[in-house]
Structure formats: structure tokens, C-alpha cells
Amino acid sequence: MVDADQTFVIVGGGLAGAKAAETLRTEGFTGRVILICDERDHPYERPPLSKGYLLGKAERDSVFVHEPAWYARHDIELHLGQTVDAIDRTAKTVRFGEDGTVVRYDKLLIATGAEPRRLDIPGTDLVGVHHLRRLAHAERLKGVLTSLGRDNGHLVIAGAGWIGLEIAAAARQYGAEVTVVHRGRTPLHSVLGPELGQLFAELHMEHGVRFHFGATLTEITGQDGMVLAARTDDGEEHPAHAVLAAIGAAPRVALAEAAGLELADRADGGGVRVDERLRTSDPDIYVAGDAASFPHALFDTRLRVEHWANALNGGPAAARSMLGREDAYDRVPYFFSDQYDLGMEYSGWAPPGSYDEVVIRGDAGKREFIAFWVREGRVLAGMNVNVWDVTDPIQGLIRSGVPVDTEALADPRVPLESLVA
Ligand SMILES: Cc1cc2nc3c(=O)[nH]c(=O)nc-3n(C[C@H](O)[C@H](O)[C@H](O)COP(=O)(O)OP(=O)(O)OC[C@H]3O[C@@H](n4cnc5c(N)ncnc54)[C@H](O)[C@@H]3O)c2cc1C
């Protein structure tokens, strides 16, 4: 058992960090828990920032992981608005804040998340160029979308990943004109492949979004600090009153790297390299959430997962490891998205090249179906679109790893549960 006089420090107060702190207490840890975050807001969840909160349908208070009083009640020492700028692994200390406060740790969790990739082109310093990661960004974007909607303004979005598409949906709901510029030929290609990516392109086009595929932004032009247009590498110019960069996120690994911790290859998604217990090359330092690259036995590969469920479950898993538990972290990756009246959940991992077939169960035309990515009859991933309460059997199929009859898989009359070995 871990001594009561031990100190566990958590760097990063996102979902992974806050859930790790909670788990330390629910698992009975009575030592010091210190949670340090460079944001001034209490730990919050990011999914509403591009959905309900951005659309004005969810209150600000609803995004927080815990109510503010929860931290003191559970004796969590919370340091907000303070950056950790160094880890000394020999002295087992972290340094944070403007005054360079140093605290000693027995175990350290790095839950520093990710940050939006920046457009590296002329014009990104104009005031109408935006990113979305933080609550303050969402507040600002809400104001921008409101004025664009009111004035028939144009928003150009760079990137047709999940966040780009969710913001496109929100912007259309505000009444803004939207053009999405995307390097690939279909949205979400790296996750869904071409078959299902097209479905999202059609959904957005029906709602009035224009796509410019196979192109990248090369310049944002403006006058007096304001955005006027966005140019692409094929010489086109799109009118724009605002530009949103949604070209992915990079794991925040600078602190870990400076401390000499092993990183994962960029080709594997980057992040800090941890084992199946989320432990780094230093046995007293753990990583969870967007920043962690962990080996996943089910897919026989190293994964870095930038999704809510991985922070929700990975933070607690790291906390249990810090307390000496030996359980491997092997959750089936899961995420969700909402765009217009389409809601979806995706479980598994099946990038293009890993599957040989996509099996559809239900009516893709009506956007009420489940798609399965299958290799040699084995289900690698499943996405339910406007069909609910099927995550357990989908994950059961993925976990079983046993070939299934794909005709039965495609037949909605055959209960999914009956196919799980
Ligand atoms: C707009 C948006 C919408 C999303 N929607 C969905 C969705 O619909 N479904 C889904 O599955 N996932 C979604 N995600 C992804 C999901 O929110 C992330 O996977 C999750 O937030 C990761 O949690 P985390 O705790 O690892 O990192 P973060 O939430 O990034 O938290 C890390 C925290 O650490 C702080 N920090 C970093 N470095 C330091 C330092 N040196 N010192 C102190 N503090 C530091 C950061 O500022 C941040 O506050 C969305 C993300 C965004 C941005």
C-alpha cells in the first residue's frame, strides 16, 4: 500500500488530469495530490466547445469536470493559471508558476494534452484567424459565428477533420457561409477511409457547406488587421471574414522531452512513450490522455488517441498504476460526434489500408446504420450513426477477434449480440 505521506503531482488539468485526481481519492489514497494547470478555468471537458456550448445550447457551468468546491472537499491542491516548466527527475521535483515554486513528487502524472497545429502561412496574425481548443476560444468563436450569421459573412475552415466539420455545422446553424478547404479528397479520410468520409461530405453539402478538396491554404489576405480572403495552392481565392484552422493537434511533449523521457516516433503519432500501464521510461512518471502513446495489444500497435473517452478512462488507469496496480490499459478506442441531426459513435481502430471491406448494416441513405470495418471477416472497428445502445456488442465483436459471417453482420434482423463469440 502507498504511504499516506507520499505526494502525487499531476501536470495538466484537463479531463485526464482531473479524473486521475478523482481516482486517487476514490481508491483511498490519503497523501498529497497536487494538480497544476496553465489554464485559469477549473478542469473542463472539450467536446461541448464545438457542439452544445458553441451553439449556445449548453451552459458554461455544464462543461466542468467537477464543481469548483469539489477540489477542496477532496483535498486536491489545485494550482490554476500556472505552467510547469521543468521536471527534475533526479531530485523528483517539478517547478511551476512565475515565482518558480518547486514541489517534490513521489509519483508524477503528465496529462498535458495537445495543442492545435498552426497554419504556417502569411496572414495568420490577422485578428479574424482562429483556433479552437480552450473555453476562451469557444467563447470568442461564438461571438464570431453570431456576427457572421447576422451579416451573411464567410467562414473558411482549413481541415475537414472532426473539429473542422463540427464547427462547419455550428457555423451553418448560425447562418454563416462556410467553405471547408481540405487536402484530402474526402473528409476524415485517415479515420474513416473514403467510403464513409463521402457520407460526411454529402451531409454537409446538403446543409450548404462548400468543400474545396485536394487543396491547402497558402495565404490569408486582409486589410487593417481584418481577414478578406483565403488563397489556396491551386490559385483559388475564397472570400472570408474569418478563418478557422482545424488542421489537427500536436501532443504537448516539450516538458517530457526536456526531462529526457522517451518519445514515440512521429510516424506512430508522436506523444510520450509509455507501457501498457501508462508508465514512461521513468518508473515514477506516468502519462495519460492525448499526450500518451501506449501499446495496444488488441490492435498489436502503438496508439495515441486524441479522444474524450481515452482521457476519461486513461486518467483513472494511470492513477491506479501510480498506486501500484498491475492492470494493463486496453480499452477499445471510442469517440463520438454530433453534426446537425447526425449523431455517431465509433469504436475500434481501422485506418485505410488495415481493412479489406466495409460492411453496412441498416440504411446508409437515411443515415441510420452501423458500418463495420472488417479484415478477413474480423471486425476492426464499428461506427453507429443515429442508431443507439450498440457500443457494447460492437466492442464485443472487436474484442473477440473471431471471424464473423459478414452477411449476418449486414442483416439488422440478426442480433449483434448473437455474433459475439
Ligand atoms: C473543440 C474540441 C472538441 C472535441 N470533441 C470531441 C468529441 O466530440 N469526442 C471526442 O471523443 N473527443 C473530442 N475532443 C477531444 C478531447 O476533448 C480530448 O481528447 C481531451 O480533451 C484530452 O484530454 P487531456 O486531459 O488529455 O488533455 P487536455 O484536455 O488538452 O488537457 C491538458 C491540460 O494541460 C494543460 N497543460 C499543458 N501543458 C502544461 C504545463 N506544462 N503546465 C501546466 N498545464 C499544462 C493544458 O493547457 C490543458 O489545460 C475534442 C477536442 C476539442 C479541442
Side-chain angles (χ1 to χ4, degrees):
M1 190 54 199
V2 176
D3 294 341
D5 58 4
Q6 293 212 346
T7 299
F8 285 9
V9 173
I10 301 171
V11 183
L15 184 58
K19 281 288 170 185
E22 178 187 314
T23 304
L24 289 174
R25 290 300 183 226
T26 52
E27 292 287 335
F29 179 62
T30 54
R32 281 180 84 185
V33 177
I34 303 174
L35 177 55
I36 309 163
C37 189
D38 59 6
E39 293 195 64
R40 292 192 183 281
D41 290 301
H42 283 79
Y44 57 89
E45 303 199 22
R46 297 181 200 273
L49 306 190
S50 51
K51 306 178 192 62
Y53 183 66
L54 187 61
L55 284 164
K57 291 180 182 165
E59 294 296 320
R60 194 175 191 278
D61 278 356
S62 68
V63 306
F64 295 100
V65 183
H66 302 103
E67 50 154 341
W70 180 90
Y71 296 90
R73 224 172 33 241
H74 291 83
D75 206 10
I76 310 288
E77 299 172 40
L78 191 57
H79 298 269
L80 295 175
Q82 315 242 10
T83 303
V84 174
D85 61 16
I87 299 170
D88 180 335
R89 288 168 51 203
T90 311
K92 293 183 72 171
T93 59
V94 299
R95 190 180 64 202
F96 66 96
E98 277 177 17
D99 59 356
T101 302
V102 171
V103 284
R104 197 179 172 284
Y105 63 81
D106 291 287
K107 301 275 181 203
L108 174 67
L109 174 63
I110 297 176
T112 46
E115 61 194 339
R117 290 186 199 280
R118 307 273 158 178
L119 286 167
D120 186 15
I121 57 173
T124 47
D125 51 342
L126 295 166
V127 284
V129 179
H130 302 273
H131 295 92
L132 178 58
R133 181 80 196 175
R134 296 186 164 196
L135 202 41
H137 298 156
E139 276 156 17
R140 195 158 57 231
L141 191 58
K142 223 196 258 195
V144 170
L145 296 185
T146 306
S147 356
L148 291 177
R150 191 188 47 222
D151 306 336
N152 272 331
H154 284 73
L155 174 69
V156 169
I157 299 176
W162 296 108
I163 290 181
L165 293 185
E166 288 177 358
I167 294 167
R172 287 301 297 145
Q173 287 166 80
Y174 274 97
E177 297 295 328
V178 179
T179 301
V180 177
V181 175
H182 184 58
R183 194 165 35 187
R185 295 282 160 199
T186 49
L188 304 162
H189 181 86
S190 59
V191 188
L192 301 183
E195 301 86 350
L196 272 297
Q198 186 55 28
L199 177 125
F200 282 88
E202 283 160 16
L203 169 75
H204 282 269
M205 287 190 287
E206 275 171 28
H207 285 86
V209 172
R210 282 180 289 270
F211 282 100
H212 186 161
F213 288 120
T216 48
L217 287 193
T218 49
E219 186 181 0
I220 302 165
T221 58
Q223 201 178 352
D224 303 330
M226 307 305 284
V227 168
L228 287 179
R231 292 204 176 116
T232 48
D233 53 353
D234 51 5
E236 280 210 33
E237 186 169 283
H238 299 279
H241 301 99
V243 172
L244 184 113
I247 53 171
R252 291 184 70 174
V253 297
L255 192 61
E257 188 173 19
L261 296 171
E262 239 179 85
L263 301 186
D265 288 343
R266 285 216 177 153
D268 291 334
V272 187
R273 204 179 156 88
V274 290
D275 66 12
E276 61 291 339
R277 287 183 50 215
L278 304 179
R279 196 171 49 180
T280 65
S281 45
D282 179 326
D284 293 322
I285 305 183
Y286 298 73
V287 186
D290 282 9
S293 166
F294 58 96
H296 204 301
L298 204 53
F299 304 99
D300 193 22
T301 188
R302 192 160 269 287
L303 293 180
R304 191 177 68 77
V305 179
E306 274 176 20
H307 290 303
W308 170 87
N310 180 54
L312 182 77
N313 299 310
R320 286 189 289 272
S321 286
M322 291 162 85
L323 293 169
R325 303 278 178 76
E326 294 293 335
D327 314 330
Y329 178 63
D330 66 349
R331 303 285 294 216
V332 174
Y334 164 93
F335 65 87
F336 61 91
S337 179
D338 296 313
Q339 297 165 35
Y340 313 104
D341 54 359
L342 182 150
M344 57 72 66
E345 296 171 289
Y346 177 104
S347 293
W349 184 76
S354 67
Y355 61 91
D356 49 38
E357 190 183 355
V358 180
V359 174
I360 302 288
R361 177 190 185 91
D363 192 337
K366 277 198 190 150
R367 300 195 185 111
E368 245 179 65
F369 66 99
I370 310 175
F372 295 96
W373 285 260
V374 174
R375 185 181 62 216
E376 292 163 5
R378 293 176 173 83
V379 175
L380 302 177
M383 174 173 75
N384 46 304
V385 174
N386 289 343
V387 172
W388 303 109
D389 300 324
V390 288
T391 298
D392 284 349
I394 290 174
Q395 295 200 353
L397 282 167
I398 296 166
R399 231 173 234 298
S400 82
V402 173
V404 292
D405 173 355
T406 49
E407 272 182 31
L409 191 62
D411 186 346
R413 291 166 305 180
V414 179
L416 278 183
E417 289 78 0
S418 70
L419 300 172
V420 180

